[in-house]
Amino acid sequence: GNSVTQMEGPVTLSEEAFLTINCTYTATGYPSLFWYVQYPGEGLQLLLKATKADDKGSNKGFEATYRKETTSFHLEKGSVQVSDSAVYFCALSDLSSSNTGKLIFGQGTTLQVKP
Amino acid sequence: DGGITQSPKYLFRKEGQNVTLSCEQNLNHDAMYWYRQDPGQGLRLIYYSQIVNDFQKGDIAEGYSVSREKKESFPLTVTSAQKNPTAFYLCAIGTGGNTIYFGEGSWLTVV
């Protein structure tokens, strides 16, 4: 079945460091891929998405490229800030379901940025 | 102010009680979802609805029930049959392109 695997957390970085959070997936067909961010005590916010191979999603300095050959969608940011501290979720759309919009989530990766 | 409104933010349930979580949206979207989040884990789908008066079970529907009598409302009832209900519950709406947007969530604790 379809699944998403994220790198284990927590990830602890100093401010202005480079960030990579790895995400790989298993899916049939060509799912859309997403990154969501969750700040403490809040719901999930859509960070970026990509809908086909080689697409690059970007938002707020974060980027991720849909790599079909490696079934990956790694999240990157060139210079993190303390305000980026949150939990990040990778997700894919479940095309095996007739329900468009059903997402399959990874387990989340906690990022802590220290001043 | 528009968007997705969940209430209450915090809810406590006694053993054997049913409780209902509210989810309202004024964005005029047909698709609505309920997800459950446990600490350190990803989200799991409980129920979803793509149109008024119709809904489908997700991956973990046992112990939960929903209704969709109005387009803007999709309440979730956590019944006494749900043996481990303590979790963070997230309502979401679906837009075109397989994208979903979440509400702020409701914390449910069994006391």
Side-chain angles (χ1 to χ4, degrees), chain A residues 19-21 35 37 39 47-48 56-65 74-81 83-86 88 111 113:
Chain A
L19 168 71
T20 299
I21 299 178
W35 277 101
V37 58
Y39 299 101
L47 184 58
L48 53 85
K56 177 185 284 187
S58 61
N59 186 26
K60 300 181 181 179
F62 291 90
E63 293 183 340
T65 301
H74 304 321
L75 182 68
E76 297 181 335
K77 187 175 185 183
S79 176
V80 293
Q81 305 300 313
S83 57
D84 293 326
S85 298
Y88 292 82
L111 170 65
V113 180

Side-chain angles (χ1 to χ4, degrees), chain B residues 17-70:
Chain B
Q17 268 187 340
N18 293 352
V19 294
T20 297
L21 306 178
S22 170
C23 179
E24 303 279 331
Q25 57 112 350
N26 62 2
L27 301 170
N28 202 36
H29 288 292
D30 288 312
M32 297 186 74
Y33 307 83
W34 275 104
Y35 282 85
R36 169 178 170 145
Q37 184 180 21
D38 293 284
Q41 298 186 30
L43 280 68
R44 293 180 290 170
L45 183 64
I46 305 173
Y47 267 98
Y48 62 94
S49 169
Q50 291 183 287
I51 198 168
V52 174
N53 292 322
D54 186 54
F55 48 83
Q56 305 296 327
K57 293 182 179 180
D59 300 318
I60 55 165
E62 184 175 353
Y64 300 96
S65 65
V66 294
S67 62
R68 187 81 187 278
E69 298 176 0
K70 300 184 295 182

Side-chain angles (χ1 to χ4, degrees), chain B residues 85-103:
Chain B
T86 296
F88 190 45
Y89 291 87
L90 289 153
C91 178
I93 61 168
T95 67
N98 295 315
T99 303
I100 68 171
Y101 295 91
F102 289 88

Side-chain angles (χ1 to χ4, degrees), chain A residues 34 36 38 41 49 100-101 103, chain B residues 9 33 35 37 42 98-100:
Chain A
F34 306 84
Y36 284 85
Q38 184 178 35
K49 70 175 186 179
T100 58
L103 299 183
Chain B
K9 180 71 174 179
Y33 307 83
Y35 282 85
Q37 184 180 21
N98 295 315
T99 303
I100 68 171

Side-chain angles (χ1 to χ4, degrees), chain A residues 3 12 30 46 50 72 77-78 83 87 92 103 107:
Chain A
S3 65
T12 302
Y30 300 91
L46 178 65
S72 65
K77 187 175 185 183
S83 57
V87 181
L92 64 80
L103 299 183
Q107 75 274 26

